[in-house]
């Protein structure tokens, strides 16, 4: 099963089903953003600290990386930024274009895979916003390398990602109220699921997922030329059993200080 094409179709399906991360922001939210009253999330519910952004976004170029769905990009565009959205799902990008047309916003969209930004020039952007999404790529290191390449020196990357321990447990057992350690980290749907489970995933057009090590998530950013200057955690909002024990999402603020060592 080829990951990129499969996950592109899987996310198109998620848009059709109206899952949470495909629902575009409202006109009211855009109107508030135009007034300067805005916030975004790169994890689940918790808002990115406002001081992770400059006071004024006007004139800044922001890349919303693997961030389709009409959520982050319209808010940032309404706040005055020049925004480009990259996503592998055409239907996710359609959500951004829909909001842009509805609210008279300028948002550029590009269908591309997050670890291959070859259609974008070096040092194009002042800020990168990268919500939890690198769980859908097999190797996260090229994502950090490409992000570093297209970001200006001293630019900021705000990234949300998954704590890999989430992938230790058997999902079916968790639904029964049991946290049963079943898998090892790093996790790969391709390598860890049974043949029957993988076939079911393919038939249902569900996304392939990958639980990257914290070394790849954090040291990977450092090796790509970033210095981490901010950090926080988030969870599923109490709807998952594991929320009782640990927060499974995290976000980092990183500043590009040098060229990649990767």
């Amino acid at each position: 099963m080829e990951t990129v094409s499969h996950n592109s179709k899987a996310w198109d399906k998620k848009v059709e089903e109206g899952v949470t991360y495909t629902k575009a922001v409202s006109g009211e939210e855009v109107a508030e953003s135009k007034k300067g009253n805005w916030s975004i999330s790169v994890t689940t519910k918790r808002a990115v600290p406002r001081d992770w952004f400059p006071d004024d976004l006007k004139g800044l170029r922001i890349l919303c990386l693997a961030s389709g769905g009409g959520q982050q990009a319209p808010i940032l565009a309404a706040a005055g930024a020049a925004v480009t959205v990259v996503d592998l799902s055409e239907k996710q990008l359609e959500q951004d274009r829909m909001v842009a047309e509805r609210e008279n916003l300028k948002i550029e969209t590009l269908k591309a895979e997050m670890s291959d930004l070859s259609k974008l020039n070096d040092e194009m952007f002042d800020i990168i916003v990268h919500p939890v999404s690198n769980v859908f790529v097999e190797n996260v290191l090229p994502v950090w390398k490409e992000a570093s390449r297209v970001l200006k020196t001293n630019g900021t990357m705000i990234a949300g990602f998954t704590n890999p321990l989430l992938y230790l447990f058997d999902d079916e057992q968790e639904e029964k109220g049991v946290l049963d350690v079943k898998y090892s980290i790093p996790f790969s749907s391709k390598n860890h699921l049974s043949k029957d489970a993988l076939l079911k995933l393919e038939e249902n057009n569900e996304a392939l997922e990958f639980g990257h090590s914290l070394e790849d998530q954090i040291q990977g950013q450092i090796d790509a030329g970033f210095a981490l200057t901010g950090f926080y955690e988030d969870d599923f909002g109490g709807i998952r059993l594991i929320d009782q024990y640990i927060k499974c999402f995290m976000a980092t603020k990183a500043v590009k200080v040098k060229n990649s060592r990767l």
Side-chain angles (χ1 to χ4, degrees):
M1 200 186 312
E2 201 281 320
T3 300
V4 175
S5 61
H6 175 83
N7 280 353
S8 175
K9 295 175 183 177
W11 273 96
D12 283 350
K13 180 185 176 185
K14 289 179 185 291
V15 176
E16 294 169 357
E17 295 173 342
V19 303
T20 300
Y21 302 112
T22 70
K23 294 181 179 179
V25 294
S26 66
E28 290 77 10
E29 291 172 286
V30 171
E32 284 299 307
S33 183
K34 289 179 178 179
K35 297 175 185 177
N37 305 320
W38 61 270
S39 67
I40 64 167
S41 175
V42 293
T43 49
T44 49
K45 297 293 185 181
R46 186 172 176 179
V48 176
R50 186 63 182 82
D51 61 7
W52 282 19
F53 290 93
D55 291 336
D56 190 354
L57 299 185
K58 291 181 175 63
L60 297 182
R61 299 195 67 178
I62 297 181
L63 171 63
C64 288
L65 179 59
S67 178
Q71 298 179 348
Q72 293 86 10
I75 294 296
L76 297 169
V83 180
T84 299
V85 186
V86 169
D87 204 282
L88 56 65
S89 165
E90 184 62 34
K91 289 188 179 294
Q92 279 282 76
L93 293 173
E94 286 175 4
Q95 295 293 83
D96 288 284
R97 291 193 287 266
M98 177 272 291
V99 179
E101 182 176 357
R102 186 189 74 198
E103 305 295 337
N104 193 29
L105 301 172
K106 184 177 180 181
I107 298 174
E108 295 184 3
T109 61
L110 173 63
K111 184 177 181 181
E113 205 272 328
M114 69 186 85
S115 59
D116 180 5
L117 304 179
S118 55
K119 294 181 181 179
L120 300 176
N121 294 330
D122 295 355
E123 300 205 350
M124 285 184 66
F125 300 98
D126 300 285
I127 299 172
I128 294 176
V129 171
H130 179 48
V132 173
S133 55
N134 64 39
V135 67
F136 302 110
V137 294
E138 295 187 57
N139 183 359
V140 71
L141 299 181
V143 178
W144 303 136
K145 183 177 180 180
E146 279 289 80
S148 178
R149 181 183 64 79
V150 302
L151 187 66
K152 296 177 182 177
T153 301
N154 297 320
T156 296
M157 177 174 68
I158 298 169
F161 49 95
T162 306
N163 189 324
L165 66 80
L166 178 65
Y167 291 96
L168 290 173
F169 305 105
D170 185 323
D171 286 344
E172 292 182 359
Q173 287 295 98
E174 186 185 355
E175 291 175 2
K176 299 175 183 178
V178 178
L179 290 178
D180 179 24
V181 174
K182 184 176 182 179
Y183 304 111
S184 59
I185 304 300
F187 171 84
S188 164
S189 293
K190 287 184 171 182
N191 298 331
H192 286 74
L193 297 184
S194 67
K195 289 183 179 180
D196 287 344
L198 199 57
L199 180 60
K200 182 178 179 181
L201 181 149
E202 185 173 16
E203 290 175 345
N204 293 336
N205 206 13
E206 298 172 359
L208 294 163
E209 296 190 23
F210 306 89
H212 306 293
S213 70
L214 287 177
E215 183 172 347
D216 281 355
Q217 294 281 25
I218 296 173
Q219 186 63 40
Q221 292 186 56
I222 296 169
D223 287 342
F226 292 100
L228 272 61
T229 61
F231 178 89
Y232 66 85
E233 294 177 295
D234 200 0
D235 60 20
F236 286 98
I239 64 173
R240 291 279 296 268
L241 176 62
I242 199 168
D243 288 345
Q244 299 177 25
Y245 303 98
I246 193 168
K247 296 180 184 296
C248 283
F249 299 101
M250 57 193 74
T252 52
K253 177 185 178 184
V255 176
K256 179 183 172 181
V257 294
K258 56 186 176 181
N259 292 327
S260 172
R261 300 206 312 265
L262 294 172

